[in-house]
Amino acid sequence: VRMPPAIAVGFAVAGVVYLVDLLGTTRLAVVAGVICCVVPRVTYMGEETRTYAFSAAYAAWATWVLVRLLLDCGESKRWWFAYGLLVAFGTYAFLYFGLFVVVHGLTLLSSRPTREFVKRWIVTSGVALASTLPLIVVGFLQRGQVAYLAGQTTITINAMTVGLWFWTPWFAVAAWCLILIGLGAALWRWRQTRTRGPSLVMIAFLWMVVPGAVLVLASIPENSFTSRYLSYSAPAAAILMALGIEVLARSGPRRMLGLTLLTVVATVPIYLSQRTPYAKNGSDWAEVSSTIGSHAHAGDAIVFDDGARPSRRPRLALHTYPAGFAGLKDVTLKTPYQHSSTWYDRTYTVPAAEKLGRFNTVSRVWLVEYVTSGKSDTYGLSDIKSMGFTVTATYKTHSSLILELVRS
């Protein structure tokens, strides 16, 4: 299930290489491709089961097709058709990909194409977005799925400078230095030449900044933003970093190679940290399943801590590593996620399950509590004890506490 995003990252990097080669040099294109491979947000979205890697790939290739059309004066109907498909598919992959119409619109303003070209772009983009109206409607109706963001502070200086793409403060400082150097040099060159047509640095800058600016402004009335929404802008940051490397190396091949390798080495600790057993939210579901499977017996009851955030609830171990729970009674289950209006199981509280008689024939209960900051939750523990159960054993895993309770 993790393989498709990994492949999508490969397509995203290829798109970056082709785009930079189209507007820059082959040497710069290779450097940009290498940097894109190791930007922490890119390496992260390449190993998680979300569609952000696909949105990055669509962004790179839609931008490449648009630039090709600009260079060819928009004469190819085939490429206009391809552009429309990429915009539509990209939006279906990730709803906020539709913001790339704004990015590309500003790109056209900076490139000053013909009126006929602009008309074709408006028609193509309009048809592409119109085809995604079913998704937009369903997304609006299901906006409650991310309503929890309103109660969180996700827009901070640290989140916007470090958390978006660079993961750690020290690497973020290095990355932003390269980006600012690349932008500064490009601005100086533009003031000297005042050239028209598509500009690599302008495209990368708009790609990196505009979607984030729109989403942040839209979150002012009520927060609905999280940093992973801007995953598809990570390749743009990689392009600007590569431009910074080119400026510092003064286009010298050996110096460019050295600076590129230095940047790659700097990301190695981050890459490794993303691939530890507990890298994803500290989840220890495999460990929980193994512990339960080693000590529980068929007919025992299992109760999970449902007080934690849905994405961190120990109950997810039941679905991701089911082998350890074979033969156990899921006494608090109300509606399985397959038949629920959400992506997670609906459950009863322990007292509600008791009233339904779910514990009547149970002599042993396994309670899995979520542990955060070294402190364990106590979800359902007192209710289970009130039924005459006593804690007889405890097992500590990375982020869970497993309690064995036996009826007195």
Side-chain angles (χ1 to χ4, degrees), residues 3 8 19 38 47 61 69 92 94 131 176 198 201 219 229 274 290 371:
M3 183 62 72
L19 175 63
V38 299
E47 56 89 28
W61 283 104
L69 284 165
Y92 273 104
F94 178 50
S131 71
W176 282 112
V201 67
S219 294
Y229 291 167
Q274 292 174 347
S290 176
V371 175

Side-chain angles (χ1 to χ4, degrees), residues 65 92 112 116 119 186 207 232 274 292 295 302 316 401:
V65 171
Y92 273 104
R112 301 177 185 177
E116 182 62 28
K119 289 180 181 178
W207 181 354
Y232 59 27
Q274 292 174 347
I292 293 292
H295 298 90
I302 182 74
L316 292 169
L401 183 67

Side-chain angles (χ1 to χ4, degrees), residues 162-326:
V162 179
L164 285 181
W165 309 301
F166 305 128
W167 239 249
T168 62
W170 55 268
F171 183 72
V173 169
W176 282 112
C177 285
L178 290 175
I179 289 171
L180 293 175
I181 289 170
L183 287 173
L187 178 61
W188 184 84
R189 286 196 296 265
W190 180 82
R191 292 183 63 182
Q192 298 297 316
T193 60
R194 303 278 181 168
T195 55
R196 296 181 61 176
S199 162
L200 177 62
V201 67
M202 179 60 71
I203 290 171
F205 176 75
L206 294 172
W207 181 354
M208 184 179 73
V209 172
V210 171
V214 173
L215 290 176
V216 168
L217 289 174
S219 294
I220 291 177
E222 184 176 9
N223 185 37
S224 58
F225 175 83
T226 184
S227 58
R228 60 175 177 265
Y229 291 167
L230 294 180
S231 296
Y232 59 27
S233 292
I239 292 173
L240 293 175
M241 289 174 65
L243 287 167
I245 289 175
E246 183 183 47
V247 172
L248 290 177
R250 299 177 182 177
S251 298
R254 290 187 178 181
R255 287 191 293 270
M256 287 187 71
L257 175 61
L259 288 171
T260 303
L261 290 177
L262 186 63
T263 305
V264 171
V265 170
T267 64
V268 170
I270 302 173
Y271 178 89
L272 295 177
S273 71
Q274 292 174 347
R275 284 154 178 78
T276 61
Y278 311 111
K280 185 66 173 178
N281 288 337
S283 60
D284 59 350
W285 303 332
E287 195 175 356
V288 169
S289 175
S290 176
T291 302
I292 293 292
S294 299
H295 298 90
H297 304 282
D300 291 352
I302 182 74
V303 175
F304 296 97
D305 179 359
D306 281 336
R309 284 170 51 184
S311 61
R312 302 188 182 190
R313 289 176 183 170
R315 168 172 285 277
L316 292 169
L318 177 65
H319 301 300
T320 50
Y321 300 94
F325 304 95

Side-chain angles (χ1 to χ4, degrees), residues 79-96:
W79 287 115
W80 279 116
F81 182 72
Y83 178 76
L85 285 180
L86 288 168
V87 172
F89 288 165
T91 306
Y92 273 104
F94 178 50
L95 183 60
Y96 290 148

Side-chain angles (χ1 to χ4, degrees), residues 141-153:
L141 295 175
Q142 293 192 1
R143 63 192 182 280
Q145 296 282 1
V146 293
Y148 67 91
L149 291 172
Q152 298 183 9
T153 303

Side-chain angles (χ1 to χ4, degrees), residues 51 55 58 84-101 128-129 131-133 135-136:
T51 60
S55 68
Y58 282 119
L85 285 180
L86 288 168
V87 172
F89 288 165
T91 306
Y92 273 104
F94 178 50
L95 183 60
Y96 290 148
F97 180 88
L99 293 174
F100 259 80
V101 172
L129 290 181
S131 71
T132 65
L133 280 176
L135 175 69
I136 294 172

